Amino acid sequence: MEKIIALNHKMNLNYGDIKSYINSLKKLDLDIIVFPTSLYAKMFIDNGFKTGLQNIYYHKRGAYTGEISPKQAASLGVNYVLIGHYERRHYFHETDEEINNKIRCALMENLKVILCVGENVYEDYKIILKKQIQRALENIDGEVMIAYEPRWAIGSKIIPSNERIKEAVNYIKSLFNYDVKVLYGGSVSSENIKTLNEVNVVSGYLIGGGSTNINELKKIKEVVC
Ligand code: PEP
């Protein structure tokens, strides 16, 4: 099975860097989903990349200064959206109810949703993952993908053991009545990708910090593709 590679740029790269980044990414010839800063989404779309937004709002239109609606995103040619990323939950106090509304509205516009879930280091992963997934998907019919990102692994250069990832991913899969795709995210790098890639239940990777570094992506590609 071909692994999915998704790139979460977060709030990195300035306008002046984007053109050369896109050119280098094209040369890498990698089947990826890019989640750039929303400002640059159109540039990736116009260059033929599967493109997503890192966040979305849950109304179609209206007086919501600073927000982007799923309808607007879809009308631009955006295909994917990340919902419930840890940094959104943590810094912007995004609640399960908001996440649920965002997913519902995104699916209504046929955006593909990657729901991010993950536990803190001191938490029981089963309790947290079940709670996050059930609340996020309450009364939602459509299918989503999951990014399993243990909070303590994001940006920390520390990754869980392969056994732990396998257990958590299998647990997530057991909560669905369809064959849900589960990506792993959290400090994925050229140094650990060989080890991570031995976990065969994972459908791919969500790469944050390393995603703007073309050399890093080149090395990851050599292992994954
Ligand atoms: C992320 O934020 O989705 C992520 C995986 O970050 P990092 O790769 O930097 O840990």
Side-chain angles (χ1 to χ4, degrees), residues 2-219:
E2 186 105 328
K3 292 262 166 83
I4 297 163
I5 297 184
L7 308 179
N8 176 13
H9 287 177
K10 311 194 187 209
M11 200 174 68
N12 294 311
L13 292 178
N14 290 324
Y15 181 64
D17 307 322
I18 291 286
K19 271 191 192 147
S20 71
Y21 175 87
I22 286 180
N23 287 336
S24 310
L25 203 57
K26 273 183 166 172
K27 284 190 200 132
L28 265 190
D29 193 23
L30 198 57
D31 188 16
I32 44 165
I33 308 165
V34 192
F35 292 89
T37 302
S38 310
L39 275 176
Y40 311 137
K42 183 81 167 82
M43 295 172 79
F44 285 88
I45 292 165
D46 289 349
N47 278 280
F49 289 99
K50 289 178 204 155
T51 305
L53 298 187
Q54 299 168 17
N55 178 39
I56 202 79
Y57 199 48
Y58 49 82
H59 284 291
K60 281 192 178 162
R61 68 182 70 78
Y64 302 104
T65 302
E67 295 294 341
I68 297 172
S69 76
K71 202 173 182 59
Q72 290 176 311
S75 72
L76 191 76
V78 165
N79 323 103
Y80 287 83
V81 64
L82 280 184
I83 298 184
H85 189 280
Y86 166 64
E87 287 151 16
R88 300 287 323 165
R89 295 179 193 252
H90 181 66
Y91 297 120
F92 302 98
H93 312 292
E94 205 165 276
T95 64
D96 288 322
E97 194 185 348
E98 286 171 314
I99 289 167
N100 177 261
N101 283 328
K102 288 180 178 193
I103 294 173
R104 182 173 301 102
C105 294
L107 290 175
M108 276 167 61
E109 298 301 333
N110 294 319
L111 295 175
K112 294 191 173 99
V113 170
I114 301 184
L115 167 65
C116 303
V117 295
E119 78 288 359
N120 259 319
V121 74
Y122 50 84
E123 291 173 324
D124 179 323
Y125 74 89
K126 287 191 179 173
I127 294 177
I128 299 300
L129 295 177
K130 188 173 186 179
K131 196 160 74 181
Q132 288 176 346
I133 290 170
Q134 284 184 342
R135 289 183 180 173
L137 299 179
E138 202 176 325
N139 297 323
I140 284 180
D141 286 332
E143 297 190 2
V144 300
M145 271 192 248
I146 298 288
Y148 170 55
E149 303 199 296
R151 294 178 174 192
W152 48 275
I154 296 177
S156 65
K157 296 202 162 84
I158 304 169
I159 56 165
S161 67
N162 280 4
E163 293 70 44
R164 181 63 149 64
I165 296 175
K166 194 171 175 181
E167 264 175 41
V169 171
N170 279 333
Y171 179 68
I172 291 169
K173 283 174 173 284
S174 76
L175 300 173
F176 286 81
N177 59 9
Y178 55 90
D179 187 18
V180 65
K181 287 193 169 69
V182 184
L183 312 183
Y184 168 78
S187 294
V188 175
S189 74
S190 59
E191 284 174 19
N192 55 36
I193 190 67
K194 248 193 195 129
T195 308
L196 284 171
N197 210 39
E198 286 164 8
V199 187
N200 56 12
V201 291
V202 162
S203 297
Y205 306 99
L206 177 56
I207 305 170
S211 67
T212 54
N213 180 334
I214 295 291
N215 282 333
E216 188 62 5
L217 295 178
K218 207 182 273 176
K219 290 183 198 160

